Amino acid sequence: MKHISIIVMLCFGLVLSACSSSSQSGPKDSGTGEPQDLVMALGSEPVSLDPQDATDGISYDATELMYDKLVTFDKDMKLVPQLAKEWKTSDDGLKVTFTLNQGAKFHDGASLNADAVKASFDRIMNKDNKLGRFALYTEFLDKVVVDSEYQVTFQLKFPYVPALANFAHPSGAIVNAKAAKEKGENFSKSPVGSGPYQFKEWVSGDKVVLTANTGYWGEKPKLKSITIKAVKENAARALMLETGEAGVIAPVPATDIERLKGDNKLTVTTYPSNRNLYIGINTQKAPFNDVKVRQALNYAVDKDTIVKKILLGQAQVSQSAISERTSGYSPAGAYPYDPEKAKSLLTEAGVKPGTTIKLWTPEGRYLMDRQIAEFVQANLEAVGLKVEFQKWEWGAYTKAYRDPNSGLELFLVSWAVPSNDADGGLRPLFMTKGTNNYTVFSNKTIDDLLDKGMKTVNNDERKKIYADTLKAIKDQAPWIFLVEMKQPVGVRKNVEGVTSLNTELVDLRTAVKK
């Protein structure tokens, strides 16, 4: 028996030794000074890793790590240098000249110089490439001229106030145009940029993995890798933060914010946002082609309850089609909750009680999105409509609501303004030929105002033009205007250097895990 006991003890010791050895071979603990792996869990996965074609915020969370721009926004939304060390605008406002930092390279080793900058912008401005952000630059840019190896000039069609802000837009990222041409459609899933992190793999429906670009020309990355996980279930995302499986999550579910704040291993920070959450209306489809019906839908929805009961204060009722944090904003006023007014307008428009309409929503992409859509469904049914409700996976949803032939009628979505300017917040959505005009909205008065606003330099005149535009958009009601969002971000306390911009970009470029 004594011999057996000794053998058992020896075996137990070997097991403990193996466990100890195994734990030491895993991720290093704080104090090692070695770069760590970081997981960030978001509500959905990117749609594209090509910044010139992406139009959603989740994609930009990834592309901002892999690409550099000429200029960028800091955490206070001030323009700061990135690839460009300096720039100047000509007296007539028709030329912007950038002097580049030297030594920047793409992840495949190619030089990032003035020729590369021109090639990148020529790519996005080529309509044959059919890139999602084509109009963001072609509306105001005439051509790009290489002055020298490290100096490039952008010639504008007219003086355009937010030009620099548009260069700081995530779609202003400098892509390796040669690699993009060679890869074709595969570039969106196998990108080549110049940022502090480079692409490793994309497991569809699960994760995007980036690794440190150790040869980065700027401030060196402080993490070994960043994995962006798609976790649409609110409870699962919160649990990952609590257990340490994820170092960062966004958004933090509204129902979990106070509980997570009580965990001394975590911090939850609610950042301001210029994102508006709304329900788009297919304005070309009956009965929504009648403005009275669109206005009725707005009167039918109780926005205050959405803010107080569903989002638990993590938002405010929208007063305009752009956020109060966006340059050029003025309040147009919210539609009050008035179900009787809604019923009256529906009757005037000839909409019979029991008329069936369709409402679509994603789940997990936005803070409490499904719950908000279900509440709106109940509001609309309370004024006599029958609402067919459908949840979508984010990737499929983005294709469906952008296709006017998909059968869409009402669809919950949002719009942030990465350029932080009213032109970028309104023209793509409400111009008749706007690239993001998913409501198929058309109004000549608004078209004229948007064109005038884009070409006006005087700030007071611009603000007046956009005030008139926002009032006209409210009256025409191509949306059910809902709320201006906030961005609650959860971070483990051993992770530092994480912030979120007004645009809801979760910035990990300087993040470090200890």
Side-chain angles (χ1 to χ4, degrees), residues 124-126 133-142 157:
I124 196 171
M125 293 169 62
N126 184 345
R133 288 302 190 182
F134 164 76
L136 185 67
Y137 297 98
T138 54
E139 289 287 346
F140 74 93
L141 276 182
D142 182 21
K157 296 176 181 177

Side-chain angles (χ1 to χ4, degrees), residues 136-191:
L136 185 67
Y137 297 98
T138 54
E139 289 287 346
F140 74 93
L141 276 182
D142 182 21
K143 61 181 177 179
V144 185
V145 178
V146 172
D147 302 322
S148 64
E149 186 175 4
Y150 292 103
Q151 182 174 297
V152 60
T153 294
F154 291 79
Q155 296 185 3
L156 280 54
K157 296 176 181 177
F158 48 84
Y160 180 63
V161 170
L164 282 171
N166 277 23
F167 290 127
H169 189 287
S171 296
I174 307 304
V175 309
N176 185 321
K178 182 175 181 290
K181 184 176 181 179
E182 291 171 352
K183 291 173 180 281
E185 293 183 0
N186 291 330
F187 187 74
S188 67
K189 289 187 177 290
S190 180

Side-chain angles (χ1 to χ4, degrees), residues 7 23 91 131 182 196 199 241 290 300 303 323 339 440 494:
I7 292 170
S23 66
D91 292 340
L131 296 170
E182 291 171 352
F199 178 79
L241 183 67
D290 188 329
K303 280 78 70 176
S323 160
V440 207
N494 65 334

Side-chain angles (χ1 to χ4, degrees), residues 287-298:
F288 312 111
N289 54 349
D290 188 329
V291 68
K292 289 183 178 179
V293 174
R294 303 196 298 268
Q295 291 173 344
L297 300 182
N298 275 278

